[in-house]
Amino acid sequence: MSITYLEAIREAQARALADDPRVFIYGQDVGVFGGAFKATKNLANQFPGRVLDAPISEDAIIGMSVGAALEGLRPIIEMQFADFSTVGFNQIVNQAATMFWRTTRICPITVRLPFGGTSGSGPFHSQTMETIYAHYPGLVVMTPASVEDAYSMLLEAVAIDDPVIFCEHKLLYYHLKAEKLPTEALPVGKARITREGRDMTVVAYSAMVHEAIAAADELALEGYQIEVVDLRSVKPLDTDTVMASVARTGRLLCVGESWPWGGVTAEVVARVTQEGFGLLDAPPQRLNAKDTPVPYHPNLWAAHRPTARRIAAAARNLLRQ
Amino acid sequence: MFETVLKPGAVGEDSRFRETYLKAFRWMVLARILDDKLASLYRAGKIHGGVFLGRGQEALSAAAGVSLQPGDVFAPLIRDAAGRLAFGEPVIDAVRTFMGSPLGPMRGRDGNVHRGRIDQGILPMISHLGAMISVVNGMLWAKRFNGKKGMVGIASIGEGATSTGACHEAMNQAAIEKLPLVVVIANNQYAYSTPNSRQFACESLAERAVGYGFEGHSVDGTDLSACLNCVGDAVEKARSGGRPQLIVAQLLRLCGHGEHDDASYVDSRLKSNPDFRDCLKVAEDELLERGWANDELISGWRAEAAKTVEEAVATTQREAAPDPFKEDWSALSTRHLCEGHD
């Protein structure tokens, strides 16, 4: 038996609903239909009255979940595509994210964002939104890269007393598989060294972890050992694990699927430069998507985002320095 | 808090109405005196940031506040001192929040009208207009999910907020979920400086009720009796399982948008229009005319209200200011997930 990244997300929600009577799911088409990606398949039948179809009103969807959280419930919100969360942005960053600090009242909502590029999805169904949410205080931003993490981190997201932006990568939904669901997990806030190596550190998160591993495989044939760090959550960002890796390798390449201005890769490079300048044998590097909207055609899309080939090329440049 | 009545009235509805009227009137008086004091403190430089008053809107606001019961939800507008007081917010919450006291409900972290008591159902508003309505929806939905019955939520907004997408989304959502929501719109003719003619083009905002599946009502927002009847009826309809309710009150803001604003843009014809009298004066005249109070009694109420406000201000002024070195700079309740930078 094997389980996909998407099935793990469904199973985590089923378990959260079964274990905690305060949990409910709210989002567009999540009810009997089971969601645009089937992440809530059968849940409406299994948990009557707790999996609700919402009108196309992202602002009101988040607003309502905040109110329900204030009454002690644990809402899981599915944004049909992360891109559409911009319509609910105000409620996320100004209502949910400020609630605890302003009032001492917790606001435990989990906002699931099916995010990231897939071929043929174009400018409005492909965006990665982690940068913009990580910028705001009061939010936890998770970016699981594995089936196991998708499952355990989603359960932890529901349990956490703060608003969580759960970025699940659409490209991983169907293709990424594991043998079984995990029984234990790293705590949220800890990065994982997915692949050990001594020559260079590649920091990545979400789907880019897999591109980084493929690049590391390619470079292994050339005799280089590349260490790949999976951030798992971009906020909090586990600087300690990154620094420890850079201390061993002396070289840093940070890879993100989001746009190049600012963001997670810039944050990682800034922190390592500020706190670990002496550890670096070469200038730290960043690799991001191009600074345009995400293109539609597969040829353009493949050239827009960082791929294993581009990562390997950037790594070779850095290894030569 | 307010139980005083002048003389025993007739039994039944009339006496209950009189009691409610007197209570509401006294909350209006207290709110006006509180607002006047806040305006003085602002002019004396004692308040950082803006001061936003409810002058001219107290009748509608008090009517909303007295129609609510414990267990209900109230998302006030920036001009709702009267309604807040009537629903149980202590005077000192307002003073402490305007003055930034660490002992206030917002502890100096948020100010002026951005205060609440969530445990008592008073929501601390964010500045983005229309954004509180769906939060009220969520609280009502969750109460019902938790098996509670008979509650109501009032979301109070101005006519300006009706132009937001958030308002549209939330009203539609409330109707879909059949929530016991009452949206009270104070049409005070100006959203900051923008007149009705640049805000909406329908004859009356109450017409929109039909489109949302709400029941709509219009009321003279300067007339306390009319407000008590209209809001009271709408609240009872929502409470007993009727459709969500929309109330549109016509009134005039008798102050600037904030105290920094001289409101010179307000059309002088509106100021002299008898439809836009001061609701507090109208209510006082009605009280005297009905023989429910006399000048002496009303003066006593004013003096009592002034004393309450002065005491709250004096208490707050003795309180230390927030100390940034003692501040817990954590935006998350889950401490180990805070990034922990100084």
Side-chain angles (χ1 to χ4, degrees):
Chain A
M1 176 213 152
S2 72
I3 183 159
T4 64
Y5 183 92
L6 179 66
E7 285 162 352
I9 287 164
R10 199 209 84 95
E11 289 305 314
Q13 291 180 99
R15 185 169 153 196
L17 284 161
D19 289 355
D20 188 342
R22 301 170 301 173
V23 173
F24 72 98
I25 297 175
Y26 189 45
Q28 292 150 18
D29 304 302
V30 299
V32 174
F33 182 65
F37 297 99
K38 301 296 171 210
T40 56
K41 190 177 164 187
N42 291 332
L43 295 181
N45 295 329
Q46 273 177 267
F47 302 95
R50 294 172 65 193
V51 185
L52 285 91
D53 283 328
I56 303 173
S57 301
E58 287 81 5
D59 182 289
I61 288 171
I62 303 291
M64 185 188 136
S65 75
V66 169
L70 292 175
E71 285 290 321
L73 300 185
R74 298 260 161 179
I76 301 174
I77 300 306
E78 178 178 305
M79 284 285 144
Q80 195 156 79
F81 284 81
D83 315 46
F84 306 159
S85 74
T86 50
V87 183
F89 186 67
N90 179 48
Q91 295 283 7
I92 294 173
V93 304
N94 288 313
Q95 193 89 260
T98 66
M99 188 64 76
F100 171 73
W101 194 76
R102 292 168 71 231
T103 70
T104 74
R105 288 290 299 262
I106 59 167
C107 186
I109 67 171
T110 298
V111 184
R112 288 182 39 234
L113 301 185
F115 93 147
T118 52
S119 170
S121 295
F124 311 113
H125 293 75
S126 301
Q127 294 169 31
T128 56
M129 305 288 292
E130 77 288 350
T131 292
I132 206 153
Y133 291 113
H135 181 67
Y136 277 84
L139 299 172
V140 174
V141 184
M142 300 184 183
T143 48
S146 70
V147 176
E148 293 85 349
D149 276 355
Y151 180 77
S152 63
M153 290 173 79
L154 183 49
L155 282 170
E156 197 163 352
V158 176
I160 286 173
D161 282 344
D162 292 290
V164 177
I165 305 298
F166 189 83
C167 302
E168 45 193 62
H169 205 295
K170 301 191 296 289
L171 195 62
L172 307 180
Y173 268 169
Y174 310 105
H175 304 301
L176 200 61
K177 289 178 181 157
E179 282 310 303
K180 56 180 176 16
L181 293 174
T183 50
E184 54 186 30
L186 266 185
V188 168
K190 289 281 172 219
R192 174 187 289 114
I193 296 178
T194 299
R195 179 194 178 104
E196 291 185 2
R198 61 171 187 228
D199 296 325
M200 189 177 80
T201 299
V202 177
V203 171
Y205 55 99
S206 192
M208 285 298 126
V209 171
H210 303 282
E211 299 293 337
I213 290 169
D217 285 343
E218 195 178 320
L219 289 162
L221 300 175
E222 300 164 26
Y224 295 113
Q225 293 182 22
I226 307 299
E227 182 147 299
V228 177
V229 177
D230 171 6
L231 290 175
R232 298 177 72 245
S233 65
V234 300
K235 195 169 188 183
L237 201 159
D238 182 2
T239 314
D240 291 349
T241 298
V242 174
M243 294 284 284
S245 175
V246 173
R248 288 188 293 275
T249 64
R251 282 179 165 76
L252 171 66
L253 169 64
C254 193
V255 184
E257 189 179 325
S258 60
W259 290 302
W261 201 99
V264 177
T265 57
E267 185 68 25
V268 170
V269 167
R271 290 189 191 188
V272 170
T273 308
Q274 185 174 334
E275 296 166 32
F277 191 70
L279 304 173
L280 291 162
D281 296 331
Q285 302 294 313
R286 306 163 60 204
L287 193 57
N288 282 90
K290 293 187 192 304
D291 192 24
T292 68
V294 184
Y296 163 73
H297 192 278
N299 291 355
L300 299 178
W301 175 71
H304 179 265
R305 66 196 279 270
T307 55
R309 242 182 80 205
R310 282 182 64 203
I311 295 169
R316 280 187 203 100
N317 279 338
L318 181 55
L319 286 161
R320 278 197 291 269
Q321 290 188 46
Chain B
M1 180 173 170
F2 295 154
E3 299 300 337
T4 322
V5 289
L6 187 64
K7 56 190 178 186
V11 288
E13 289 298 321
D14 278 354
S15 93
R16 264 215 301 283
F17 181 74
R18 185 181 71 159
E19 223 166 289
T20 309
Y21 191 103
L22 289 168
K23 272 188 203 167
F25 177 75
R26 294 192 60 186
W27 293 122
M28 291 170 67
V29 168
L30 182 58
R32 180 69 63 91
I33 288 172
L34 171 62
D35 273 3
D36 288 348
K37 183 68 189 180
L38 291 169
S40 315
L41 289 166
Y42 174 79
R43 293 195 205 308
K46 305 281 188 194
I47 291 176
H48 302 282
V51 167
F52 305 91
L53 307 182
R55 210 175 286 151
Q57 307 194 185
E58 292 95 337
L60 179 68
S61 182
V66 297
S67 70
L68 294 173
Q69 300 168 2
D72 289 341
V73 179
F74 184 37
L77 173 72
I78 63 174
R79 312 194 189 285
D80 268 323
R84 289 169 175 274
L85 293 164
F87 190 43
E89 184 184 87
V91 169
I92 200 161
D93 275 19
V95 179
R96 280 175 166 158
T97 309
F98 269 101
M99 299 189 80
S101 166
L103 302 182
M106 311 312 279
R107 300 161 295 153
R109 292 178 175 192
D110 205 344
N112 51 63
V113 292
H114 299 279
R115 62 183 192 270
R117 289 191 167 216
I118 295 169
D119 290 337
Q120 290 179 36
I122 307 173
L123 283 170
M125 72 179 73
I126 66 169
S127 297
H128 305 64
L129 299 184
M132 301 312 296
I133 307 172
S134 59
V135 181
V136 176
N137 288 348
M139 291 180 79
L140 296 172
W141 188 89
K143 284 173 189 285
R144 189 171 68 195
F145 181 86
N146 286 332
K148 291 180 187 154
K149 285 182 182 154
M151 64 283 171
V152 166
I154 290 184
S156 182
I157 60 173
E159 83 281 1
T162 65
S163 305
T164 65
C167 177
H168 169 71
E169 289 191 9
M171 287 183 66
N172 180 55
Q173 179 184 54
I176 289 167
E177 296 296 336
K178 300 181 173 59
L179 295 171
L181 175 73
V182 180
V183 174
V184 177
I185 300 173
N187 180 1
N188 65 11
Q189 313 306 312
Y190 290 89
Y192 204 150
S193 77
T194 305
N196 279 186
S197 61
R198 300 299 301 166
Q199 198 65 245
F200 56 89
C202 52
E203 191 64 32
S204 159
L205 290 170
E207 289 173 2
R208 294 190 181 172
V210 179
Y212 288 115
F214 277 47
E215 188 174 340
H217 314 267
S218 293
V219 67
D220 175 356
T222 67
D223 179 340
L224 178 58
S225 283
C227 288
L228 286 170
N229 285 325
C230 181
V231 180
D233 287 352
V235 164
E236 283 322 303
K237 277 181 183 165
R239 199 185 291 289
S240 57
R243 279 183 293 166
Q245 307 284 311
L246 175 66
I247 295 168
V248 181
Q250 289 290 331
L251 45 84
L252 182 65
R253 193 184 72 205
L254 302 179
C255 49
H257 168 63
E259 283 305 277
H260 55 277
D261 170 23
D262 66 5
S264 52
Y265 46 79
V266 173
D267 189 331
S268 56
R269 284 166 300 182
L270 289 179
K271 290 185 197 169
S272 57
N273 185 335
D275 289 347
F276 293 135
R277 301 159 297 171
D278 179 351
C279 61
L280 190 59
K281 183 74 174 72
V282 173
E284 186 175 335
D285 289 348
E286 188 177 350
L287 270 184
L288 295 170
E289 195 179 310
R290 288 186 185 236
W292 287 351
N294 57 28
D295 287 334
E296 193 187 342
L297 190 58
I298 293 172
S299 300
W301 292 342
R302 283 191 207 285
E304 197 183 316
K307 186 164 172 278
T308 306
V309 170
E310 290 300 335
E311 280 172 4
V313 172
T315 301
T316 305
Q317 283 183 323
R318 285 195 297 272
E319 290 165 2
D323 181 349
F325 295 101
K326 289 182 184 160
E327 175 63 57
D328 174 24
W329 297 98
S330 307
L332 296 174
S333 73
T334 314
R335 300 198 63 87
H336 72 273
L337 295 181
C338 291
E339 290 235 303
H341 297 297
D342 290 332

